[in-house]
Amino acid sequence: MERNANLYTVLRGGFPSDLGAVAIETPERSYRWSDIDAISGRMAALLHSFGVPAGARVAVQVEKSPESLMLYLATLRAGLVYLPLNTAYREAEVAYFLGDAEPAVVVCSDSAKGWCEPLARARGAVQVLTLNADGRGSLTEAADAQEPAFDTAHCASEDLAAILYTSGTTGRSKGAMLTHANLAANALTLRDFWGWRADDVLLHMLPIFHVHGLFVASHGAMLAGARMVWLPKLDVDQALHHLPRCTLMMGVPTYYVRLLSDPRFTREVCANMRLFISGSAPLLVDTFREFQDRTGMTILERYGMSETGMITSNPWDPARGARIPGTVGPALPGETVRVVGDSDQPVGVGVPGHVQVRGPNVFAGYWRMPEKTREEFTADGWFRTGDIGLLGGEAVPDDYLSIVGRSKDLIISGGYNVYPKEIERVIDAMPGVQESAVIGVPHSDFGEAVVAVIVPRTGAMVDPVAIQTDLKSALANFKVPKKIHVIDALPRNAMGKVQKNVLRQQYAALE
Ligand code: MLC
Ligand code: AMP
């Protein structure tokens, strides 16, 4: 029989031989490696008992807890497909995901069950369970009655492990299908490239419904058999409390901006740390330098996306090269990155172009969107990232990539992707609105902030405050514009296209 490619089997191979050692520590309690095995085993047995076919989706919108990580592992172990959803998503957004993915099992919080269960049932879910921030709920209650020993399902490498929804430029989210092999390849590469060690202690403060917190951070720790200090979210006081006994931290740039904004964040607090990693959004060179000055440590910036996991990374090992601010480093081992012009032909070193990637980490396509999948790959198999970058440059080695822009109309706010089209569609459907344009403007905390510019219909009045309130009920809070401007007409070029660059300049100041 072929080797079991189930990702859990790969991760399990990294657990230490002493399964009684602490694996996850929260401010309230500790979980041993044996608990991970047992709790995920009980949950997997429960999922298995539902009799849903291999490959069925398990959609999960719950607060972060160790049990929510166990649910992810249980889904892998049961041979089902994990579909995490941002807790900020509102009912209308969740309805779309459930309708598109048709999950057999849906897990939400008790407080969301009232609206989530009917949505899920109407879209074919056979089980709706709950899991709350304290790790309790109907899921854990039912799992407690199961046996802890569970034979992890046999998977082929191309079997799906997860579907991550990532917004589309048309405003319609696409489900990126990731296989067990995709995730394992990236996790094993990062373990080696970042020199993960069994005695590492990871400060885990990221949400676990995206690549960064779920895959990059948790997989790394599990594969290394390293302990995680597990906090529900970024909290600077808590971070300052735990950092002195941690060795590794990952965050989006906002995490570093917020740490630096606290004078208690000092060299002494970081004395035990060996690595700070940043990604998901551009790290400003100023932040990189201020961090160096304050702590004596150099943030390692890497670059990736939902469809591919991590693509490039500045080196951890100085023998491989320096960490250069403003760059995201060379392609990770086993992957190839190229920068091309509009006709997919590579451009020279130092010339900006479209970033494309190939490698075992690259996803299997968009869920039920073969056409879209074809569009995003070149004929010879390169994935189009939608990012604009350049290789090399002044005083930068030729294999180092710098991300200098995006061809996709995308705003990244505090590490969350916001697609203007999605918000524009909601605003344009509001009474009195002729049209709108949503842009990202610089923001000291979130990197970019969402701003909307609205043109009312002739004779109509629009009230920015009322629009903001309506948007809050329709969209996740991080997508709601921080500021709304009402103007007479949008600037357009000769082709009739809205000139967002003009708007970005005009409305750059938030105040
Ligand atoms: C929260 N708010 C945001 C926001 N997060 N606004 C804009 N952008 C964001 N990211 C707003 C809320 O709407 C609310 O406003 C107010 O801030 C307080 O909300 P909160 O929930 O208390 O915020 P906070 O806990 O401070 O969260 C901020 C944050 C969080 C930066 C800690 O957004 C975060 O953890 N981001 C990480 C995202 C991440 O993990 N990305 C990885 C994607 S993977 P109001 O008005 O409602 O009160 C990926 C691939 C890769 O990209 O390469 O890694
Ligand atoms: P997501 O679709 O949420 O996975 O977001 C992926 C996108 O985040 C990438 O296509 C980039 O635009 C952006 N991104 C991730 N890491 C970085 C980085 N270090 N610098 C600049 N942009 C980044």
Side-chain angles (χ1 to χ4, degrees), residues 216-227:
V216 185
S218 319
H219 287 174
M222 284 188 274
L223 268 184
R227 181 187 296 206

Side-chain angles (χ1 to χ4, degrees), residues 171-190:
R172 209 178 141 216
S173 291
K174 308 162 291 185
M177 301 188 289
L178 295 151
T179 66
H180 286 261
N182 290 150
L183 298 176
N186 211 228
L188 290 163
T189 299
L190 294 175

Side-chain angles (χ1 to χ4, degrees), residues 81-307:
V81 179
Y82 192 68
L83 194 172
L85 294 171
N86 192 320
T87 46
Y89 291 150
R90 313 304 298 253
E91 188 172 337
E93 293 163 301
V94 172
Y96 169 77
F97 297 121
L98 300 187
D100 193 54
E102 297 182 316
V105 180
V106 174
V107 185
C108 61
S109 64
D110 271 309
S111 60
K113 196 171 179 221
W115 59 264
C116 189
E117 177 150 23
L119 275 187
R121 298 270 181 204
R123 285 154 185 80
V126 293
Q127 290 286 339
V128 179
L129 299 156
T130 63
L131 180 62
N132 301 314
D134 63 0
R136 302 307 301 167
S138 62
L139 169 82
T140 31
E141 269 160 40
D144 284 348
Q146 301 285 328
E147 289 300 323
F150 181 83
D151 278 339
T152 296
H154 196 276
C155 285
S157 33
E158 67 275 13
D159 287 344
L160 293 192
I163 296 180
L164 294 194
Y165 273 87
T166 152
S167 310
T169 36
T170 57
R172 209 178 141 216
S173 291
K174 308 162 291 185
M177 301 188 289
L178 295 151
T179 66
H180 286 261
N182 290 150
L183 298 176
N186 211 228
L188 290 163
T189 299
L190 294 175
R191 178 194 61 185
D192 299 339
F193 198 74
W194 290 341
W196 272 96
R197 301 192 311 233
D199 62 351
D200 270 327
V201 180
L202 172 73
L203 182 56
H204 194 308
M205 300 187 287
L206 285 159
I208 60 163
F209 38 68
H210 283 309
V211 182
H212 200 160
L214 183 61
F215 300 152
V216 185
S218 319
H219 287 174
M222 284 188 274
L223 268 184
R227 181 187 296 206
M228 288 189 262
V229 172
W230 190 262
L231 300 181
K233 57 186 281 201
L234 170 64
D235 176 324
V236 171
D237 286 334
Q238 285 280 331
L240 291 170
H241 175 70
H242 291 287
L243 272 170
R245 58 196 185 80
C246 292
T247 64
L248 219 151
M249 181 190 134
M250 293 185 197
V252 305
T254 303
Y255 284 41
Y256 296 108
V257 169
R258 289 199 187 170
L259 282 173
L260 285 168
S261 71
D262 195 307
R264 295 172 297 168
F265 182 62
T266 57
R267 205 171 271 256
E268 290 67 41
V269 168
C270 302
N272 199 42
M273 288 291 293
R274 71 171 186 89
L275 191 56
F276 288 96
I277 299 176
S278 176
S280 309
L283 179 73
L284 295 182
V285 173
D286 283 352
T287 310
F288 177 99
R289 297 224 188 279
E290 193 186 341
F291 199 91
Q292 260 181 339
D293 290 346
R294 182 86 69 86
T295 65
M297 299 198 60
T298 304
I299 298 177
L300 179 159
E301 185 174 9
R302 61 35 170 205
Y303 156 68
M305 57 192 302
S306 302
E307 289 92 333

